[in-house]
Amino acid sequence: MTLQNKVAIITGASRGIGRAIAEAFVSEGAKVVLNGTNEVLLQDVCSSLNKEETRAVSVAGDASLPATAASLVEKAKNHFGQIDILVNNAGINLRKSTVDTSVDEWKRLIDINLTGTFLMCQAVIPDMIKQQGGKIVNMSSTTGKTPHHNASPAYGVSKAGINYLTMHLAKELAAHHIHVNAVCPGPIETDMSKQWSDEYRRSVLERIPLKTIGTPQQVANAVTFLASDQSDFITGETINMNGGTYMN
């Protein structure tokens, strides 16, 4: 039970990778406060995690708003008394070229992916400093390190920003024993990948040296490690999880 007695806030937790992270955390002994925009889906996740006792509560809301971040912090402290871990998983994608991306689309993507991550970090840092410890894990992407032909530049920029924010906060907060890292997944089997054509799936697999697409559970395993005491000498890292499609 690597997360026994730990309390975590997880954004974007209603499905896919976020749900897998929530399930992994609870299985390792943590209590979780979950965020997403769909209250029905959030309640479904909480119900599945609260079989024997209350291990999960939720706050529905837009992760790009300061009020949502404040509500999550308040919920964690009121229900579980502390905040040990933050996982910034909320995010959206956009598959448009530069000339086809509108200003509103650009701003919305940056707001959710990058500003939302910043706001959540900003909201939990005072409590983590007070207790002199904490783990922050940001969800980035391989696209934040190298361009991808099927992603909007706004998406890559937002993830590159998360990578820098991760390193900056790791340096700024190290004196308070707060670890900040990021995970950079490549192709993962999610609701989005289920919409791929057979031809596109084959092209994706051809580019992956391991010849397989990752799973939400594999990403959750990496996040669980970074949230646990087992990663106590790791901070400021952006860890690739892409089957070898991008290495650095």
Side-chain angles (χ1 to χ4, degrees):
M1 303 288 275
T2 60
L3 301 180
Q4 188 71 41
N5 300 321
K6 301 293 186 181
V7 177
I9 294 174
I10 306 170
T11 67
S14 61
R15 66 181 77 192
I17 291 172
R19 179 168 184 156
I21 293 168
E23 291 169 348
F25 276 23
V26 170
S27 72
E28 289 296 325
K31 296 178 180 179
V32 295
V33 181
L34 309 179
N35 164 256
T37 56
N38 189 315
E39 190 164 1
V40 173
L41 291 178
L42 281 176
Q43 288 304 315
D44 179 64
V45 180
C46 287
S47 295
S48 71
L49 297 176
N50 293 332
K51 297 297 184 183
E52 298 178 2
E53 60 177 313
T54 300
R55 310 288 298 182
V57 295
S58 66
V59 174
D62 187 330
S64 69
L65 299 178
T68 301
S71 295
L72 283 162
V73 168
E74 182 181 11
K75 191 97 166 186
K77 292 164 71 173
N78 287 345
H79 275 74
F80 302 129
Q82 63 198 57
I83 303 167
D84 304 294
I85 302 161
L86 167 65
V87 179
N88 284 306
N89 179 67
I92 59 173
N93 199 352
L94 181 66
R95 302 188 186 280
K96 287 189 174 183
S97 68
T98 300
V99 295
D100 291 330
T101 300
S102 70
V103 172
D104 287 343
E105 288 171 329
W106 173 279
K107 289 180 177 178
R108 182 62 178 156
L109 198 147
I110 298 296
D111 280 349
I112 293 177
N113 292 6
L114 182 54
T115 304
T117 297
F118 167 76
L119 290 172
M120 283 305 312
C121 290
Q122 192 178 52
V124 304
I125 284 170
D127 285 282
M128 289 185 174
I129 288 177
K130 188 180 298 183
Q131 66 196 26
Q132 285 295 289
K135 296 290 180 82
I136 297 174
V137 185
N138 297 322
M139 193 60 62
S140 184
S141 169
T142 303
T143 311
K145 298 181 176 183
T146 186
H148 193 286
H149 71 282
N150 198 32
S152 163
Y155 181 76
V157 167
S158 73
K159 296 302 185 178
I162 287 173
N163 291 345
Y164 174 79
L165 181 64
T166 297
M167 293 184 288
H168 184 101
L169 291 178
K171 192 172 185 68
E172 179 181 328
L173 301 173
H176 302 289
H177 309 289
I178 300 170
H179 302 71
V180 189
N181 294 288
V183 175
C184 300
I188 304 295
E189 293 283 13
T190 62
D191 291 343
M192 188 176 297
S193 68
K194 293 175 184 177
Q195 301 171 17
W196 293 348
S197 67
D198 291 341
E199 181 181 1
Y200 183 73
R201 179 175 290 272
R202 283 193 296 270
S203 72
V204 170
L205 285 168
E206 286 173 2
R207 295 193 298 269
I208 303 175
L210 288 179
K211 300 305 178 189
T212 186
I213 296 173
T215 68
Q217 289 71 31
Q218 289 169 329
V219 179
N221 290 342
V223 174
T224 302
F225 166 72
L226 291 173
S228 75
D229 295 343
Q230 296 175 345
S231 64
D232 275 356
F233 202 52
I234 302 174
T235 196
E237 291 299 316
T238 53
I239 298 174
N240 300 323
M241 293 193 68
N242 53 48
T245 53
Y246 179 80
M247 306 179 189
N248 69 327

